[in-house]
C-alpha cells in the first residue's frame, strides 16, 4: 500500500501570502475586528491617532506622530495577516478537497428493491433517506450507508490512501463518503447527510476556518486579554491627570502608543492563527476534527483507551516457540507442526510455517505428492495432513487433541499447555500418527516500539488502557508485555461505556477510538472520540474526530497536536505579558523626563530621544507579531515530558525570553531609528 | 546592621512556626472539630435562628453583604447618636454625616481608615460597642470568606461553601476572642492602659495643665492588630506610648498582625490535603516579604542626602520613635502594609521617598503578602488563578488548579477583580485632582503631594487604613470618595472570589498526574511572584514614577518640595 503524501504548503509560499495580504486589509472591517477585543482596541486607537495627526498636521512632532499612527495600523494589519495566512493554508487544503466534489447528477432509485428504475437528480438536492445507485467509475455523490452490494472504493481523495477498500452492506464497512470513487461493481446507498452537510462539506468549512467557533479556552483567554486591556486603559487614561499635577503635558499620540504597547497585542494578534494552525496540523496528520474543542480536549487527556488488536498487537496471534514433550526433540515438533500447517492459510498456520523455516530451515516447496489435507472444522477443532506414505500429522486445540489422541504424550503435554495458557498465550497441540509430540506456543505479538510510546505517554501523565475481548489472564499477560497501565478484559460495548464513565466520574478526561456501531455510545461518551474513517456512519457521527487513515495509534499523535496547540497559546501569552516590563522602561522615562530629568535613570536601555524611544517601542510591538507568525503556525516545539520539565523549559524560553528580548529588540530598533533620523 | 538582619531572620522563622501551628488548628476549628465552646455556639445559633445549613456561594455572599450592611447601619447610628448614649465622659457630640459614613464603612470593611482623631471625637461607648465590635466581626467576615473559598477549592463536585453564620461565629469564638484576650493581657502587663475613666489632668514642668487621654486601650489595640484592623485608639496610633508601650509590645503587635494571615496558607494546605500547595503560597508570600522588608530597610537606612552636614550622618529619625529604632520601625511599617492592618508606629509621610513607596507598593499589590486576615489569602487565590491561567497552558493542558479547570467564568470574575485597584486608586485619585479636591487636601507640593493623595486612596481601596499623614481627608469629598474606595476594595473582591469558589466547588477534582501543571515547588512560587509583580505592580509604575520615584531622583538632584 502506498500513500501519496499530501502536498506540503510552504509557510510563506507566494500563493498563500499574496491573498493573505489582501485579506489583511479586508479584515479591517469593524464587524470582523470586533471578534478580537485586543486588536479591535488597537484599531480604534489607530483610527483616533490618525485623525489627531491629520487635524494637527504641521505642529511640532507631527512626523513622529504620523509614524506612530502608521505603526499602529501596521500592528492591526500584521495581526490580520497572521490570521489570513493561517486561514489561507486551510483554504489551500480545502480547495484540494473541493476539487473532488462531483457535479454529476445522482441516480435516485424510485424503488430501493429495483436497480433499473431511477431518476437523475442534482447532487445538492439529495435529501436524507433517499436511496441512490452508484456504479463503477462514479464518484460517490454524498455520504451514505450501503444497503446493498459490494464494491471496491478508491478513497484516496479523502484519505490519501491509494489502495481501494471494500465497502459492503451490513457490518462495520458499510459507510461511503462523498467524494470517493467506485472502482468496481455497484452499490445501493441510503443517503445519510443533508445537502451541504456531508463529511466533505464539513471538512472543507473546518479547514477553511470559516465556521470556526472559538474554543472554551480561547474564550477564557480572550476575557483575560480584554480585562488586561481595560486595566491598561484606566492606567493610560488617568496618566495625563497625574502628569498634569507635575506640570507635564503628554501628547495624546504618545499615550496611544503607551496603551497599545501595554495591551497584549502579541497574543491577541496571534490567538486565532494558533487555533487555525492547530486544526491544520491535524489535517496534515489526516485527522479531521469536528470542532476545535476536541483538539483542545485532546491536550487534556488523562486516559487513553486503545483496542488491543491492531493497535497494541499485530492483528493475529503468531507462533512463538515449539515445546516438545519429554523424549521428543524440538526439531520433531517443529517438523510435525510445519507439515501439518503447510496447507493452513490462516495467519496462525502461516506463522507456524514461518517459524519452522526460520529456526530449522525446512524448505517450503517440500510438499509431497499424494498428500491429503484435513481442513479445520468447528467440530473437530483440528487440522492436518495425511501423507502418501501413511504418516498423519495433526494440530489443534488442546482439549480436542487430548480427546482424540489420549496417551502418554497427551498427558505430558498437559502441563505445557497449562503454562502457555497461564501466560496469556494460545497452545496448539501437535500430533504425529496419533502420538502427541508437543505444543506450538501461539501468542499475540506486541508491535515493536509500542512499549516506548506508552512510556512516553506515561511521562506526559497519560494512562493507557488496553481494551480486549480476551479473558483476563490473556489480557494481563499482553498488558504486561506492552507496558500499558491497565486493561479492560472481556470488553463489551456496555463495559467500555461504564469504564469511561467511571474514569470521568473521578475527574479524568478520556480518549478512545473505535469503528463499529457498537462503539458509538462509548465514542460519544469519551471526551475525545476518534472514529475510524472506515467505520460505520454511527461511529463517525458519535466521535468528535475522524481519522482518515483508520489508524488507531493516531490517537497518540492527536494528543500531541492538542498539547502543542495549548503550549503555543500559553507560551505566546506568557511572552506577550512579560514584554510589558521592557516597554514600561522604554516609554515611561520618555514621557516624564521633561518634568523630572532625574527619571532618566529608568531609561536602562539608554535610548536616543524620548521620541525615538516611543517610536522604537511601538515598532517592536508591531514587528514581534510578524516575527512570531511562524511559531504560531508551526507550534512551539514539543517533546513529551513531564509537566514540571515542560514548565521549567518553557518558562525559561518564553517567560525569561519575553522579559529580555524586548530590551534588546527595542534598543536595536532605536539605534536604527536614530541612524535613519526617523525621530 | 548584621544584628538587624539576624533579627529579621529570626522574626520570619518565628512567624513561620506560628503559621505552621495555627494553620492546622484553624483547619480543626472550621471543620467543626474544636468544640470547647460548643454550648456557647449552640446558644448563639439558637438565639439567631441559624440552622448551620450549607449555603451556595450566592447565599454565602448574600449573608456577608447583609451582615455588612447591618453592621454599617448600626455603627453609623451609634456615631451619629453618641451624644445621647452612655459612656461619654468627655461629652462628645454627633459625628458629621460624611465622616460618620466614612468611619462606618471603614470599620465595616476592616479598613479602619480614620479621618477623625479618636481621643477628640469618639466616646468610650462608640469605641467599645461600635468600633471594637466591628474590629472583631469585620475581621471574622474576612476570615469566613477565605475559609469558604478554601472549602470551595478543596471540595469535589459540591454545591455549597459552608455556612457564613457558623464560620463567622467560629472565627470570633475560637480564633479572635482567645487571641485578643491573650494579647490584651500581655499588653496590660507591659503597661498599656485599660480603663473606662476619662483622661487625667497633669501639671507639666512648666506648670501648664494637660489632659492625658486614656481609656480601654489595651483591649482595642489587641484586636486592632490581630484582626488587621489598625484603627488606633489614639490619633497617633501605635506610636503613642499608651498604645505601644515597650519594644516587647511592638514586637507582639507585629506578630499579632501577621499571625493569622501567615497561618492561612498552612490552613489551605491542610484543607486541600496537600501541604505542599500551602507551602508554595507561603513561600511566594515570604519571598516578597523579605524583598520589601530589605528594600525598606536599605532605602530608609541610608538617610537623607539633603541633611548631609546638617545632622549626624545615618538614619533620618524624623517621624520615627527613638524607642524602637530603625529595624523595629521598618518591620512595623512593612508588616502593617503587607497586611491590611494600617496601624502605624511611625509617620509614613516622613519616610524617605523610596522608603515611603514600599508601604504604598505593598498595598497596591492588593495586600497579598500574607495580607489582611482572610482578605490576603483570597486575594492571593485570585493571583494563583491568574498565574495558573497564563502559564498553565505551557504544559500542554488547559489551565487547572488542584485538579479543577480554570475556564471562562473564572477568568471573567478574576479579570473583574483586576480592575478594583486601578479603579479605586487611579480613577478616584484622578477625579480628586480634576475636581480640585486633591489640591486643597495635600500638605506638600510636587511629587510628594501626589504620593500623599495616592497613598490615601490606595489605603482606602486596599482596606489598609494607614494614613500617610499630610493629607486632609476630613472633607465631604474625600470622606465620600475614600468611603467608596473602601467599599469597592472590599466587595469588589469578596463577591467575585466567592463566585469563583462556588463554581470551583461544583467541579470535580481531577487526580494529579505527571502531566498536571505543578502548583507546588520552586518554579511555581517563582512564577506566582513574577505574575504578581508584572500584572499587579507594573500597573502602577507610571504613577509611582511621578510620585515617590520622581521625588527620590529630585532629592538626589538636590531639589526638595
Amino acid at each position: 500500500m502506498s500513500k501519496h503524501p499530501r502536498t506540503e504548503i510552504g509557510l510563506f509560499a507566494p500563493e498563500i501570502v499574496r491573498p493573505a495580504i489582501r485579506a489583511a486589509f479586508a479584515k479591517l472591517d469593524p464587524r470582523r475586528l470586533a471578534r478580537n477585543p485586543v486588536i479591535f482596541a488597537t484599531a480604534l486607537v489607530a483610527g483616533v491617532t490618525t485623525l489627531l495627526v491629520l487635524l494637527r498636521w504641521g505642529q511640532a512632532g507631527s512626523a513622529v506622530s504620523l509614524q506612530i499612527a502608521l505603526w499602529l495600523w501596521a500592528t492591526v494589519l500584521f495581526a490580520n495577516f497572521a490570521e489570513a495566512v493561517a486561514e489561507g493554508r486551510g483554504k489551500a487544503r480545502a480547495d484540494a478537497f473541493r476539487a473532488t466534489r462531483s457535479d454529476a447528477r445522482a441516480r435516485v432509485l424510485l424503488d430501493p428493491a429495483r436497480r433499473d428504475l431511477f431518476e437523475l437528480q442534482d447532487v445538492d438536492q439529495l435529501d436524507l433517506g433517499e436511496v441512490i445507485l452508484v456504479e463503477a467509475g462514479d464518484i460517490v455523490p454524498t455520504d451514505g450507508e450501503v444497503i446493498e452490494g459490494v464494491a471496491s472504493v478508491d478513497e484516496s481523495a479523502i484519505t490519501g490512501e491509494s489502495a481501494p477498500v471494500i465497502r459492503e452492506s451490513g457490518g462495520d464497512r458499510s459507510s461511503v463518503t462523498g467524494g470517493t470513487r467506485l472502482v468496481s461493481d455497484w452499490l445501493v446507498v441510503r443517503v445519510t447527510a443533508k445537502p451541504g452537510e456531508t463529511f466533505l462539506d464539513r471538512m472543507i468549512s473546518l479547514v477553511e476556518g470559516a465556521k470556526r467557533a472559538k474554543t472554551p479556552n480561547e474564550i477564557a483567554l480572550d476575557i483575560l486579554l480584554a480585562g488586561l486591556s481595560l486595566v491598561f486603559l484606566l492606567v493610560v487614561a488617568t496618566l495625563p491627570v497625574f502628569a498634569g499635577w507635575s506640570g507635564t503635558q503628554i501628547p495624546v499620540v504618545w499615550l496611544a502608543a503607551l496603551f497599545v504597547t501595554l495591551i497584549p497585542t502579541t497574543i491577541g494578534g496571534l490567538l486565532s492563527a494558533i487555533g487555525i494552525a492547530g486544526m491544520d496540523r491535524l489535517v496534515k496528520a489526516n485527522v479531521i476534527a469536528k470542532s476545535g474543542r476536541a483538539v483542545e480536549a485532546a491536550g487534556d487527556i488523562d486516559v487513553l483507551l486503545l483496542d488491543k488488536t491492531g493497535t497494541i498487537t499485530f492483528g493475529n496471534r503468531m507462533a512463538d516457540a515449539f515445546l516438545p514433550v519429554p523424549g521428543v526433540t524440538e526439531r520433531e515438533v517443529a517438523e510435525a507442526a510445519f507439515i501439518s500447517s503447510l496447507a493452513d492459510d490462516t495467519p496462525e498456520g502461516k506463522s507456524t510455517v514461518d517459524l519452522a523455516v526460520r529456526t530449522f530451515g525446512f524448505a517450503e516447496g517440500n510438499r509431497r505428492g499424494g498428500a491429503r489435507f484435513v481442513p479445520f472444522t468447528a467440530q473437530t477443532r483440528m487440522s492436518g495432513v495425511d501423507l502418501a506414505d501413511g504418516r498423519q500429522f495433526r494440530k489443534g486445540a488442546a482439549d480436542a487433541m487430548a480427546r482424540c489422541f489420549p496417551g502418554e504424550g497427551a498427558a505430558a503435554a498437559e502441563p505445557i499447555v497449562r503454562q502457555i495458557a497461564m501466560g496469556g498465550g494460545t497452545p496448539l497441540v501437535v500430533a504425529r500418527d496419533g502420538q502427541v509430540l508437543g505444543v506450538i506456543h501461539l501468542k499475540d505479538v506486541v508491535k515493536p516500539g509500542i512499549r516506548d510510546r506508552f512510556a512516553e505517554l506515561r511521562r506526559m501523565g497519560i494512562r493507557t488502557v488496553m481494551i480486549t475481548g480476551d479473558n483476563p489472564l490473556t489480557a494481563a499477560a499482553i498488558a504486561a508485555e506492552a507496558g500499558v497501565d491497565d486493561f479492560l478484559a472481556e470488553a463489551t460495548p456496555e463495559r467500555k461505556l461504564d469504564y469511561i464513565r467511571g474514569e470521568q466520574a473521578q475527574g479524568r478526561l478520556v480518549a478512545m477510538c473505535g469503528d463499529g456501531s457498537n462503539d458509538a455510545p462509548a465514542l460519544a461518551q469519551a471526551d475525545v472520540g476518534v472514529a475510524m474513517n472506515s467505520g460505520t456512519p454511527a461511529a463517525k457521527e458519535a466521535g468528535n474526530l475522524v481519522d482518515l487513515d483508520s489508524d488507531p495509534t493516531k490517537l497518540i499523535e492527536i494528543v500531541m497536536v492538542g498539547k502543542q496547540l495549548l503550549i503555543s497559546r500559553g507560551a505566546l501569552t506568557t511572552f506577550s505579558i512579560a514584554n510589558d516590563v521592557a516597554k514600561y522602561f522604554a516609554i515611561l522615562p520618555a514621557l516624564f523626563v521633561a518634568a523630572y530629568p532625574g527619571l532618566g535613570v529608568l531609561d536602562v536601555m539608554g535610548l536616543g530621544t524620548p521620541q525615538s524611544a516611543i517610536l522604537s517601542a511601538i515598532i517592536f510591538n508591531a514587528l514581534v507579531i510578524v516575527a512570531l507568525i511562524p511559531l504560531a503556525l508551526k507550534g512551539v516545539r514539543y517533546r513529551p515530558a513531564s509537566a514540571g520539565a515542560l514548565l521549567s523549559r518553557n518558562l525559561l524560553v518564553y517567560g525569561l525570553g519575553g522579559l529580555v528580548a524586548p530590551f534588546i529588540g527595542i534598543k536595536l530598533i532605536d539605534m536604527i531609528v536614530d541612524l535613519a533620523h526617523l525621530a | 546592621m548584621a544584628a538587624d538582619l539576624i533579627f529579621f531572620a529570626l522574626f520570619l522563622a518565628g512567624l513561620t512556626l506560628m503559621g505552621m501551628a495555627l494553620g492546622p488548628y484553624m483547619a480543626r476549628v472550621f471543620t467543626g472539630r474544636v468544640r470547647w465552646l460548643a454550648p456557647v455556639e449552640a446558644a448563639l445559633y439558637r438565639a439567631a435562628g441559624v440552622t448551620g445549613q450549607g449555603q451556595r456561594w450566592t447565599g454565602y455572599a448574600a449573608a456577608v453583604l447583609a451582615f455588612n450592611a447591618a453592621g454599617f447601619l448600626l455603627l453609623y447610628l451609634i456615631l451619629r447618636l453618641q451624644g445621647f448614649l452612655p459612656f461619654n465622659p468627655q461629652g462628645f457630640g454627633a459625628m458629621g454625616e460624611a465622616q460618620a459614613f466614612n468611619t462606618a464603612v471603614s470599620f465595616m470593611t476592616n479598613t479602619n481608615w480614620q479621618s477623625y482623631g479618636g481621643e477628640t471625637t469618639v466616646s468610650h461607648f462608640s469605641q467599645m460597642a461600635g468600633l471594637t465590635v466591628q474590629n472583631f466581626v469585620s475581621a471574622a467576615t474576612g476570615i469566613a470568606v477565605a475559609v469558604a473559598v478554601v472549602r470551595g477549592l478543596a471540595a469535589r463536585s459540591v454545591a455549597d461553601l459552608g455556612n457564613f453564620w457558623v464560620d463567622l461565629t467560629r472565627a470570633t469564638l475560637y480564633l479572635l476572642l482567645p487571641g485578643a484576650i491573650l494579647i490584651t493581657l500581655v499588653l496590660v502587663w507591659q503597661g498599656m492602659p485599660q480603663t473606662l475613666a476619662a483622661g487625667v489632668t497633669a501639671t507639666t514642668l512648666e506648670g501648664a495643665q494637660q489632659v492625658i487621654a486614656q481609656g480601654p486601650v489595651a483591649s482595642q489595640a489587641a484586636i486592632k492588630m490581630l484582626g488587621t484592623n489598625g484603627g488606633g485608639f489614639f490619633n497617633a496610633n501605635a506610636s503613642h506610648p499608651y498604645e505601644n508601650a515597650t519594644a516587647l509590645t511592638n514586637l507582639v503587635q507585629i506578630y499579632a498582625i501577621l499571625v493569622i494571615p501567615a497561618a492561612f496558607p498552612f490552613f489551605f494546605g491542610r484543607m486541600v490535603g496537600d501541604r505542599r500547595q500551602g507551602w508554595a503560597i507561603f513561600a511566594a508570600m515570604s519571598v516578597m516579604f523579605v524583598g520589601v522588608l530589605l528594600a525598606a530597610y536599605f532605602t530608609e537606612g541610608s538617610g537623607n542626602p539633603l541633611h548631609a552636614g546638617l545632622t549626624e550622618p545615618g538614619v533620618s529619625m524624623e517621624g520615627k520613635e527613638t524607642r524602637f529604632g530603625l529595624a523595629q520601625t521598618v518591620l512595623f511599617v512593612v508588616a502593617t502594609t503587607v497586611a491590611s492592618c494600617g496601624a502605624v508606629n511611625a509617620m509614613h509621610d516622613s519616610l524617605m521617598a523610596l522608603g515611603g513607596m514600599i508601604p504604598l507598593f505593598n498595598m497596591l499589590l492588593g495586600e497579598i503578602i500574607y495580607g489582611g486576615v482572610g482578605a490576603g489569602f483570597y486575594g492571593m487565590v485570585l493571583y494563583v488563578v491568574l498565574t495558573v491561567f497564563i502559564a498553565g497552558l505551557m504544559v500542554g493542558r488547559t489551565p487547572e488548579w488542584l485538579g479543577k479547570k480554570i475556564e471562562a467564568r473564572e477568568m471573567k470574575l478574576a479579570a473583574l477583580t483586576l480592575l478594583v485597584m486601578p479603579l479605586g486608586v487611579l480613577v478616584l485619585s484622578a477625579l480628586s485632582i480634576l475636581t480640585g479636591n486633591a489640591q486643597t487636601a495635600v500638605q506638600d507640593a510636587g511629587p510628594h503631594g501626589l504620593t500623599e493623595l495616592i497613598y490615601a486612596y490606595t489605603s482606602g481601596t486596599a482596606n489598609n487604613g494607614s494614613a500617610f499623614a499630610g493629607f486632609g481627608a476630613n472633607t465631604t469629598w474625600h470622606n465620600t470618595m475614600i468611603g467608596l474606595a473602601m467599599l469597592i476594595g472590599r466587595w469588589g473582591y469578596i463577591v467575585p472570589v466567592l463566585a469563583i469558589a462556588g463554581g470551583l466547588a461544583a467541579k470535580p477534582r481531577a487526580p494529579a498526574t505527571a502531566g498536571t501543571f505543578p502548583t507546588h515547588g520552586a518554579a511555581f512560587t517563582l512564577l506566582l511572584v513574577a505574575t504578581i509583580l508584572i500584572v499587579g505592580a507594573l500597573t502602577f509604575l507610571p504613577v509611582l514614577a511621578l510620585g515617590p520615584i520622581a521625588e527620590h531622583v529630585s532629592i538626589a538632584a538636590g531639589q526638595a518640595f
Side-chain angles (χ1 to χ4, degrees), chain A residues 266 570-579 620 624 628 653-655 657-658 661-662:
Chain A
T266 314
L572 291 180
T573 307
T574 307
F575 185 86
S576 187
I577 292 175
N579 269 202
F620 175 84
V624 81
L628 291 175
V653 177
Y654 299 99

Side-chain angles (χ1 to χ4, degrees), chain B residues 16 88 97 117 219-220 261 460 517:
Chain B
T16 310
N88 187 7
E97 282 171 28
S219 63
Q220 200 190 321
F517 180 74

Side-chain angles (χ1 to χ4, degrees), chain B residues 386-409:
Chain B
L386 276 177
T387 305
V388 162
F389 189 83
I390 293 170
L393 284 167
M394 282 198 294
V395 304
R397 287 167 71 102
T398 55
E400 60 189 348
W401 182 28
L402 301 167
K404 290 166 181 289
K405 292 274 173 226
I406 307 294
E407 291 163 306
R409 181 173 178 274

